[in-house]
Amino acid sequence: MKLEKLVGDRFKEKPSDCVVDSHALMVRGGYIKFVANGIFSSYMPLKRITRKIEQIIREEMDAIDGQEVQFPVVMPASIWQESGRYESIGAEMARFQDRSGSPLVLGMTHEEAAVHLVREYAQSYAKYPFMVYQIQTKFRDEARPRAGLIRVREFTMKDAYSFHTSQEDLEEYYQKCHKAYERIYARVGVPEVISVASDSGMMGGSVSHEFMLLTPIGEDSIAICSECGYSANMEAAECIIEKETAESNTAECIIENETAESNTTKDSATEKLTKVHTPDMHTIEEVCSFLGSSPEKSCKAVVYQRNQDDSYVILFIRGDFEVNETKLTNFLGCEIHPAEITEESGIKAGFIGPVGLCDGVTVLYDRSLEDASGLVCGANEVDYHYVGLAMDRDVAGAEYHDFAKIRDNGICPHCGKPAIHISRGIEVGNIFQLGTKYTKSMNMTYTDQNGEIKYPIMGCYGIGVGRLAASVCEAHHDENGPIWPKAIAPWQVHLCAVRADQAEVKEAADRLYAELEARGMEVIYDDREVSAGVMFSDADLLGVPLRAVVSPRNLKQGIVEITSRDKTLSEKAPLEDAASVIENLFKTL
Amino acid sequence: MKLEKLVGDRFKEKPSDCVVDSHALMVRGGYIKFVANGIFSSYMPLKRITRKIEQIIREEMDAIDGQEVQFPVVMPASIWQESGRYESIGAEMARFQDRSGSPLVLGMTHEEAAVHLVREYAQSYAKYPFMVYQIQTKFRDEARPRAGLIRVREFTMKDAYSFHTSQEDLEEYYQKCHKAYERIYARVGVPEVISVASDSGMMGGSVSHEFMLLTPIGEDSIAICSECGYSANMEAAECIIEKETAESNTAECIIENETAESNTTKDSATEKLTKVHTPDMHTIEEVCSFLGSSPEKSCKAVVYQRNQDDSYVILFIRGDFEVNETKLTNFLGCEIHPAEITEESGIKAGFIGPVGLCDGVTVLYDRSLEDASGLVCGANEVDYHYVGLAMDRDVAGAEYHDFAKIRDNGICPHCGKPAIHISRGIEVGNIFQLGTKYTKSMNMTYTDQNGEIKYPIMGCYGIGVGRLAASVCEAHHDENGPIWPKAIAPWQVHLCAVRADQAEVKEAADRLYAELEARGMEVIYDDREVSAGVMFSDADLLGVPLRAVVSPRNLKQGIVEITSRDKTLSEKAPLEDAASVIENLFKTL
């Protein structure tokens, strides 16, 4: 392919609306064109990359007995009504009516379509297990598309669905798929991707993992234990609270040395609940500073409202912890939003506490407060707080659950050591154990060996192709452009004819181009009459693994200069052997 | 791949809702699953077929310098407003709003997206010509989906768009693409596809061709001249009228021998326009039979209304011709529908004629009436007709245009012989010369060699992948199933182990399966413990080119039976050589 005819503009200036490198480089390199918020067209270089990624994914899915199928992009609302998600999913699902008024949706995931495809087929245990997958366009009306291909509204995804007759069989297949995913990331050039335990969100099910490429521009926060290797999405990571008790002192390591304080703590357990005047102090910080206390010794109230009826939920949590809203949502089983507190509610914003709270609200307690005493809290009266709150004495019968966000330097829920570090990551894939959520709701059954009717158990497995391409770019680039791994690079060799206006150069380069193509290599050939500078910066933007330069200076020496895009390799090959040298170099990359 | 695990049911009974063979066989063979009207999921066998078709198309598009890109499925209304098609296209375009209320559409074709992708890039003549294409899902809300994959609402299509700086360059590329299409149809196994001149419809432009697979179940009518090979879609074919004049008698051949009548005709030219009472006769047939005339000697009125304002259009045409509404729509430049004639309109339904017609309606005349005389027509008065109408005398100044449908045995507009035959066909592709319709409306320009600003000229080229697969099935099947051409068959060899419960059979078949796979052949392996009858009928439904049978009887003779799906070939190979014999046989198919 001649670069001269490659559709798409390449340029130097970083577009002002690009905040992440992969986005900027994909725009600057003529990979994508913005069409609408979160919607892009792809030019040929990206299309070649994504097709190679898709083929790698396809091979790995086939290797674990996946059957490639195709579900519709446009689906009748009816199958989503069967599963209940037509109602439970919000604005992110695109809905419209056809010419006859029938409601349709755009597929954002295909559990329903998968069950619909196989439920007549798989009525006997003998048909199990099996997995079907597709690679196809999806649309999810994201509220905040960002960062180029990292978070879009329209995307191409491989989504796979497996069906099993036992949890053990699902788990075995889940592990197989986990390994296939590891091979996929290794093959596309990002072996550094890690898997982390995650929250299943709207997919249902319990066990799930996300595959994360760690990068500061990622939008997910991941808790990783530097001691045992435990990793989880912050949304899912259990928050372990170091208790200020005798036991906690015996733990190998605690973050803050609370020995001195814990003496006070023991005293404070006997402290009396006392109301104090705290005029115009609404935040934990203000109150603590006024009373000479600290956030760790306060009981903070965080107020939400349920989306469905705006009823109030008040969560009490130790002042130094943050609420993990995913845990709270999962616990409540419904969507919530931060509260707007009205006067009629009886809630005294800024002065909320667990003692003497008004009726008619749901009250929850985070585990960080369990057994805590000597706390500051609101007195449910304007301008008043309590000091000396002891949870077991003053809030008898409270139940404690895990609603807190895990913190940097926090305690690992797996090994118990305070070795948690929070990193940022891009989710480049996920796998879910779905259980029977969809088979039950959509009434898919099979007859087991004993003639009993049962619901099959499902797993589902996704990878976003465009996001993966962008993530590889994010992980492998320099200031001049992407450094595409050889397995997914748009071409294998970038051939430059510097001073192609000189017949000798043009002839030699044309010949080398023909020889490389004859060897089956994928060559992008730049024989434009432009400066070497323009040529090389275009080559950097296309990020092809090997660059070969034919130039008047090289010709004088009878050689071709070969360099790798990642700069680890620079060779000179005799002109006559250049094609074979390039072919062999490519193999060794 | 083991047939035992192939997801999808195969069965014998023809589904009652299937009226065409390809539809019935694709349902019976486990290729497709109905999801909603005109929307299907594909099982693995069809997915394998369509992927092979796509790869053939891709190779042929790349061979004519096409660049594979990808446009969005979901597009902002804005780019369709630019071209004007947001308004001009009706209910077949799916429209919805995103969460912020912005209007979006689902792509049913991508001229707008193509111009959007390249208009900044292609601002200099030096960038031309170029072609971009994609293979992607589209949605068109067809009023009447039918016949399985023949006419659907959601479909995968290859759509290509070329850009040129001159009409000559477009025409040259158009021919190149025409040849590429011929290669595609030949390679997928339907070399019998013909190209016919067509109407460009909503795509704009003038010259266009459809590629047609002739079959009685096709929904298009095609006029083909058995003398000169001229072919055109009925919608586009010019209708030549044999004139009842001296000249027409000198034509080499006319359909009806009108010599006797034409004498009468000369007399009838002098016949007076006379009103006659025709009580309760509304149709041409009733009136002609009453007056002892014939439809050829009548002037029929066909009444339409413009969609935009319901204004009336009355078209007069010779009684023996039908109206080609496509020609009428193109002439009017707007959409029409059959009229509902109200009393207020002043139009006397059933008695409409060109003399004394009420005002306020558009009146058009088909060429079939030019110079005609001695005609029967309505008198624009209830229960009255005229006889003796002479067009040039009584409707002086009328303009005549071609609005008639070409007829079986009609005159070829190319060679002039009455050798037109009407066949049915499925449109399996189309190519259009679009001109500047989209570049002008979307303001895409380039600077030519002389520094002048010009609009590029476009061509566009489509192939529906699923419909092509169904058409191949329609063209190549027997009562037992599809007979897939080798290039697109889901597998290459269908291996049957008859009586796989016998260890010897299972062992020999397993070994042959392994050997064939080692040779890189695509094998579907049936080692189920079912009867040979079930095995063979399943094999017929999957339509794989070669079937190899390992059975107790064959083993006794030390052979494997190999037959081709089309029954042209039946061989016995020694068991030990079977893999290599099969491989070689496949090559010779």
Side-chain angles (χ1 to χ4, degrees):
Chain A
M1 163 98 202
K2 287 215 184 179
L3 183 60
E4 191 180 6
K5 288 290 177 199
L6 181 64
V7 173
D9 287 310
R10 289 165 302 281
F11 53 91
K12 280 214 148 170
E13 306 70 32
K14 181 173 169 175
S16 57
D17 60 334
C18 296
V19 291
V20 307
D21 290 343
S22 63
H23 185 191
L25 294 176
M26 283 195 168
V27 172
R28 285 180 49 206
Y31 293 85
I32 54 175
K33 171 95 189 247
F34 178 88
V35 178
N37 198 13
I39 302 177
F40 294 88
S41 283
S42 305
Y43 290 102
M44 190 188 197
L46 179 60
K47 187 69 196 173
R48 290 178 68 96
I49 290 167
T50 53
R51 280 195 45 225
K52 288 182 183 186
I53 293 175
E54 286 169 17
Q55 185 53 29
I56 288 170
I57 293 173
R58 183 175 283 127
E59 287 168 15
E60 294 298 340
M61 290 298 102
D62 291 347
I64 55 171
D65 300 321
Q67 298 184 32
E68 189 173 1
V69 300
Q70 188 160 319
F71 305 115
V73 172
V74 175
M75 281 174 278
S78 56
I79 64 172
W80 288 74
Q81 282 158 344
E82 278 191 61
S83 73
R85 288 207 290 184
Y86 190 70
E87 282 72 36
S88 67
I89 295 181
E92 64 261 47
M93 186 154 74
R95 297 152 205 255
F96 61 103
Q97 295 194 335
D98 68 10
R99 62 195 302 153
S100 68
S102 300
L104 299 173
V105 306
L106 294 190
M108 45 193 285
T109 170
H110 280 83
E111 284 73 16
E112 286 82 358
V115 169
H116 175 270
L117 184 71
V118 304
R119 67 181 158 187
E120 280 86 19
Y121 160 76
Q123 298 185 13
S124 155
Y125 71 92
K127 310 273 180 130
Y128 292 80
F130 60 88
M131 182 271 264
V132 292
Y133 74 96
Q134 67 166 355
I135 300 174
Q136 211 203 28
T137 307
K138 292 186 168 24
F139 186 82
R140 186 175 306 193
D141 201 356
E142 291 282 354
R144 281 171 294 278
R146 64 177 278 273
L149 296 189
I150 301 291
R151 183 167 288 275
V152 292
R153 298 200 291 172
E154 179 173 313
F155 51 100
T156 298
M157 192 168 170
K158 183 283 296 175
D159 46 325
Y161 307 90
S162 71
F163 294 80
H164 310 269
T165 54
S166 72
Q167 176 64 22
E168 297 67 48
D169 195 55
L170 167 61
E171 282 169 19
E172 196 184 304
Y173 193 79
Y174 189 84
Q175 282 313 319
K176 241 176 154 175
C177 197
H178 193 288
K179 290 210 173 67
Y181 270 44
E182 288 171 353
R183 287 192 298 272
I184 289 166
Y185 298 118
R187 287 181 64 186
V188 303
V190 280
E192 64 266 36
V193 164
I194 62 165
S195 78
V196 306
S198 68
D199 177 74
S200 308
M202 69 163 185
M203 306 300 297
S206 50
V207 176
S208 61
H209 286 84
E210 287 165 349
F211 289 81
M212 290 284 180
L213 179 74
L214 300 183
T215 154
I217 68 108
E219 49 191 5
D220 283 278
S221 293
I222 303 142
I224 302 175
C225 174
S226 57
E227 286 287 332
C228 75
Y230 165 87
S231 61
N233 193 308
M234 281 252 308
E235 293 188 342
E238 188 185 0
C239 180
I240 304 292
I241 312 295
E242 62 270 33
K243 284 283 143 45
E244 300 170 358
T245 61
E247 298 103 75
S248 79
N249 289 332
T250 64
E252 284 187 355
C253 179
I254 51 171
I255 316 163
E256 299 137 57
N257 185 339
E258 304 200 14
T259 322
E261 264 194 295
S262 64
N263 289 328
T264 347
T265 310
K266 275 163 201 160
D267 292 346
S268 68
T270 59
E271 204 182 318
K272 268 171 58 182
L273 188 68
T274 312
K275 195 186 283 184
V276 293
H277 191 220
T278 51
D280 283 332
M281 290 164 204
H282 297 262
T283 68
I284 281 291
E285 289 73 23
E286 286 165 353
V287 174
C288 288
S289 130
F290 177 73
L291 297 174
S293 181
S294 66
E296 296 87 60
K297 298 304 289 179
S298 71
C299 169
K300 173 169 69 174
V302 188
V303 191
Y304 295 93
Q305 285 175 286
R306 290 185 180 84
N307 286 4
Q308 64 219 35
D309 58 2
D310 277 348
S311 61
Y312 290 98
V313 176
I314 299 183
L315 171 62
F316 291 105
I317 189 168
R318 217 171 78 188
D320 56 331
F321 280 95
E322 297 293 324
V323 179
N324 178 328
E325 293 177 3
T326 303
K327 291 179 185 174
L328 179 56
T329 302
N330 288 347
F331 181 87
L332 291 169
C334 66
E335 296 295 317
I336 50 164
H337 60 272
E340 283 187 41
I341 298 173
T342 59
E343 286 213 13
E344 304 82 60
S345 68
I347 301 171
K348 307 292 180 210
F351 303 96
I352 307 168
V355 176
L357 186 56
C358 61
D359 289 336
V361 299
T362 303
V363 182
L364 300 171
Y365 299 93
D366 181 65
R367 288 201 312 217
S368 54
L369 292 173
E370 198 165 6
D371 299 327
S373 59
L375 301 173
V376 171
C377 68
N380 298 308
E381 192 178 325
V382 173
D383 289 349
Y384 284 93
H385 278 81
Y386 283 120
V387 296
L389 175 75
M391 293 302 291
D392 50 1
R393 182 192 65 203
D394 302 322
V395 198
E399 281 182 27
Y400 299 90
H401 300 279
D402 175 27
F403 298 116
K405 271 190 192 162
I406 197 168
R407 304 187 294 191
D408 216 21
N409 297 319
I411 293 177
C412 171
H414 186 249
C415 71
K417 295 180 188 169
I420 288 294
H421 295 289
I422 308 295
S423 299
R424 305 289 291 174
I426 305 173
E427 184 194 333
V428 290
N430 51 45
I431 57 180
F432 296 91
Q433 293 185 17
L434 292 173
T436 55
K437 173 176 158 77
Y438 296 94
T439 53
K440 264 192 183 152
S441 57
M442 296 183 72
N443 200 28
M444 173 178 175
T445 60
Y446 68 95
T447 309
D448 77 1
Q449 269 120 317
N450 306 317
E452 278 178 54
I453 304 295
K454 293 200 168 155
Y455 294 109
I457 298 170
M458 282 177 74
C460 80
Y461 318 89
I463 294 183
V465 177
R467 185 189 282 186
L468 181 51
S471 301
V472 173
C473 177
E474 203 59 49
H476 300 288
H477 71 273
D478 59 21
E479 66 278 22
N480 301 316
I483 303 171
W484 297 112
K486 68 184 263 194
I488 66 165
W491 290 273
Q492 297 171 333
V493 186
H494 193 117
L495 174 61
C496 297
V498 175
R499 298 294 311 266
D501 56 321
Q502 297 189 6
E504 209 186 6
V505 169
K506 184 76 167 71
E507 225 167 79
D510 279 356
R511 201 167 49 239
L512 182 53
Y513 178 47
E515 285 170 5
L516 288 167
E517 293 228 310
R519 284 167 189 268
M521 296 208 75
E522 300 168 14
V523 188
I524 178 87
Y525 177 26
D526 190 354
D527 62 347
R528 295 173 301 168
E529 293 184 9
V530 297
S531 72
V534 168
M535 274 194 180
F536 296 164
S537 71
D538 275 1
D540 281 348
L541 281 169
L542 289 175
V544 169
L546 289 181
R547 187 178 74 194
V549 179
V550 178
S551 68
R553 199 183 58 187
N554 288 342
L555 278 191
K556 259 185 212 148
Q557 303 172 53
I559 58 122
V560 172
E561 247 183 302
I562 307 156
T563 50
S564 64
R565 175 66 185 82
D566 65 5
K567 296 180 181 159
T568 58
L569 187 150
S570 175
E571 295 219 1
K572 289 176 176 151
L575 182 57
E576 59 273 20
D577 300 335
S580 100
V581 171
I582 291 168
E583 190 181 11
N584 289 326
L585 275 177
F586 185 78
K587 283 182 191 150
T588 63
L589 283 180
Chain B
M1 163 98 203
K2 287 214 184 180
L3 183 60
E4 192 179 6
K5 287 293 176 196
L6 181 63
V7 174
D9 288 311
R10 289 166 301 282
F11 53 90
K12 280 215 150 171
E13 306 72 32
K14 181 173 167 175
S16 57
D17 60 334
C18 296
V19 292
V20 307
D21 291 343
S22 61
H23 185 191
L25 293 177
M26 283 195 167
V27 172
R28 286 180 49 206
Y31 292 85
I32 54 176
K33 171 96 190 248
F34 178 87
V35 179
N37 197 13
I39 301 178
F40 294 88
S41 283
S42 306
Y43 290 103
M44 191 188 195
L46 180 60
K47 187 70 195 172
R48 290 179 69 94
I49 290 167
T50 53
R51 279 193 47 225
K52 287 181 184 185
I53 293 175
E54 286 169 17
Q55 185 54 28
I56 288 170
I57 294 173
R58 184 176 283 127
E59 287 168 14
E60 294 297 341
M61 291 297 103
D62 291 347
I64 55 170
D65 300 321
Q67 298 185 34
E68 190 174 0
V69 300
Q70 188 160 320
F71 305 116
V73 172
V74 175
M75 281 174 280
S78 57
I79 65 172
W80 288 74
Q81 282 158 343
E82 279 191 61
S83 74
R85 288 207 290 183
Y86 190 69
E87 282 74 35
S88 68
I89 295 182
E92 65 262 46
M93 187 154 73
R95 297 152 205 256
F96 61 102
Q97 295 194 334
D98 68 9
R99 61 195 302 153
S100 69
S102 301
L104 299 174
V105 307
L106 294 190
M108 45 192 286
T109 170
H110 280 84
E111 284 73 17
E112 286 81 357
V115 169
H116 175 270
L117 184 70
V118 304
R119 67 180 158 188
E120 281 86 18
Y121 160 77
Q123 297 186 12
S124 155
Y125 71 93
K127 309 275 179 129
Y128 293 79
F130 60 89
M131 183 270 264
V132 292
Y133 74 96
Q134 67 166 355
I135 300 173
Q136 211 203 27
T137 307
K138 293 186 168 20
F139 186 81
R140 186 175 309 192
D141 200 355
E142 291 282 354
R144 280 172 294 278
R146 62 177 279 271
L149 296 190
I150 300 290
R151 181 166 290 276
V152 292
R153 297 200 292 173
E154 180 173 314
F155 51 100
T156 298
M157 192 169 172
K158 184 283 297 173
D159 46 323
Y161 307 90
S162 71
F163 294 81
H164 309 269
T165 54
S166 71
Q167 177 63 23
E168 297 68 48
D169 194 55
L170 167 61
E171 282 169 18
E172 195 184 305
Y173 193 79
Y174 188 84
Q175 283 312 319
K176 241 175 154 174
C177 197
H178 192 288
K179 290 208 173 68
Y181 270 45
E182 287 171 353
R183 287 193 298 271
I184 289 166
Y185 298 118
R187 287 180 65 186
V188 304
V190 281
E192 64 266 37
V193 164
I194 62 165
S195 79
V196 306
S198 69
D199 176 74
S200 308
M202 70 163 185
M203 307 299 298
S206 49
V207 177
S208 61
H209 286 86
E210 286 165 350
F211 289 81
M212 290 284 179
L213 180 73
L214 300 184
T215 154
I217 68 108
E219 49 191 5
D220 283 278
S221 293
I222 304 142
I224 302 175
C225 175
S226 57
E227 286 287 332
C228 74
Y230 165 86
S231 61
N233 194 308
M234 281 251 309
E235 293 188 343
E238 190 186 358
C239 180
I240 305 291
I241 312 294
E242 62 269 34
K243 283 283 142 43
E244 302 170 358
T245 60
E247 296 102 76
S248 77
N249 289 332
T250 65
E252 286 186 353
C253 178
I254 53 172
I255 316 162
E256 299 137 60
N257 185 338
E258 303 199 13
T259 322
E261 262 196 297
S262 64
N263 290 327
T264 347
T265 309
K266 273 164 199 159
D267 293 343
S268 70
T270 60
E271 204 181 320
K272 269 174 56 184
L273 189 68
T274 311
K275 196 185 282 183
V276 293
H277 191 219
T278 51
D280 283 332
M281 290 162 203
H282 297 263
T283 68
I284 281 291
E285 290 73 22
E286 286 165 352
V287 174
C288 288
S289 131
F290 178 73
L291 296 175
S293 181
S294 65
E296 295 89 58
K297 299 304 290 177
S298 70
C299 168
K300 173 170 70 175
V302 189
V303 191
Y304 295 93
Q305 286 176 286
R306 290 186 181 83
N307 286 5
Q308 64 219 31
D309 58 2
D310 276 348
S311 60
Y312 290 97
V313 176
I314 299 183
L315 171 62
F316 290 105
I317 189 167
R318 218 171 76 188
D320 57 330
F321 279 95
E322 297 293 323
V323 179
N324 179 326
E325 293 178 2
T326 303
K327 291 179 186 173
L328 180 56
T329 302
N330 289 347
F331 181 86
L332 292 169
C334 66
E335 295 294 318
I336 50 165
H337 61 273
E340 283 187 41
I341 298 173
T342 59
E343 287 213 14
E344 303 82 61
S345 67
I347 301 170
K348 307 293 179 209
F351 304 95
I352 307 168
V355 177
L357 186 57
C358 62
D359 290 337
V361 299
T362 303
V363 182
L364 300 171
Y365 300 93
D366 181 65
R367 287 201 314 217
S368 56
L369 292 174
E370 199 165 7
D371 298 328
S373 59
L375 301 173
V376 170
C377 68
N380 297 309
E381 192 176 326
V382 173
D383 289 349
Y384 285 93
H385 278 80
Y386 282 121
V387 296
L389 175 75
M391 293 301 293
D392 51 1
R393 181 192 65 202
D394 303 321
V395 198
E399 281 182 27
Y400 299 91
H401 299 280
D402 175 26
F403 297 117
K405 270 190 193 162
I406 198 168
R407 303 188 294 190
D408 216 20
N409 298 318
I411 294 178
C412 171
H414 187 249
C415 72
K417 295 180 189 166
I420 287 294
H421 294 290
I422 308 295
S423 300
R424 306 288 291 174
I426 304 173
E427 184 195 333
V428 290
N430 50 45
I431 58 180
F432 296 90
Q433 293 184 17
L434 292 174
T436 55
K437 173 176 158 79
Y438 297 94
T439 53
K440 264 192 182 152
S441 58
M442 297 183 72
N443 199 28
M444 173 178 175
T445 60
Y446 69 94
T447 309
D448 77 1
Q449 268 122 317
N450 307 316
E452 277 177 53
I453 304 296
K454 293 199 168 155
Y455 295 110
I457 298 169
M458 282 176 75
C460 80
Y461 317 89
I463 294 183
V465 177
R467 184 189 283 186
L468 181 52
S471 301
V472 173
C473 178
E474 203 57 50
H476 300 287
H477 71 274
D478 59 21
E479 66 278 21
N480 302 315
I483 303 171
W484 296 113
K486 68 185 264 195
I488 66 165
W491 291 273
Q492 297 171 333
V493 187
H494 194 116
L495 175 60
C496 297
V498 174
R499 297 294 311 267
D501 56 321
Q502 297 190 5
E504 210 187 3
V505 169
K506 183 78 167 74
E507 225 167 79
D510 279 357
R511 201 167 50 238
L512 181 52
Y513 178 48
E515 285 170 7
L516 288 167
E517 294 228 309
R519 284 167 189 267
M521 295 209 74
E522 300 168 15
V523 187
I524 179 87
Y525 176 26
D526 190 353
D527 62 348
R528 294 173 301 169
E529 294 184 6
V530 296
S531 72
V534 168
M535 273 193 180
F536 296 164
S537 70
D538 275 2
D540 281 347
L541 281 169
L542 289 174
V544 169
L546 289 181
R547 187 179 74 194
V549 179
V550 178
S551 70
R553 199 184 59 188
N554 287 341
L555 277 192
K556 259 185 212 149
Q557 304 172 51
I559 57 121
V560 172
E561 247 184 301
I562 306 157
T563 49
S564 64
R565 176 66 186 81
D566 64 6
K567 297 180 180 158
T568 58
L569 187 148
S570 176
E571 296 219 1
K572 289 176 175 149
L575 182 57
E576 59 275 19
D577 300 336
S580 100
V581 171
I582 291 168
E583 190 181 11
N584 288 326
L585 275 177
F586 185 78
K587 282 182 191 149
T588 64
L589 283 181

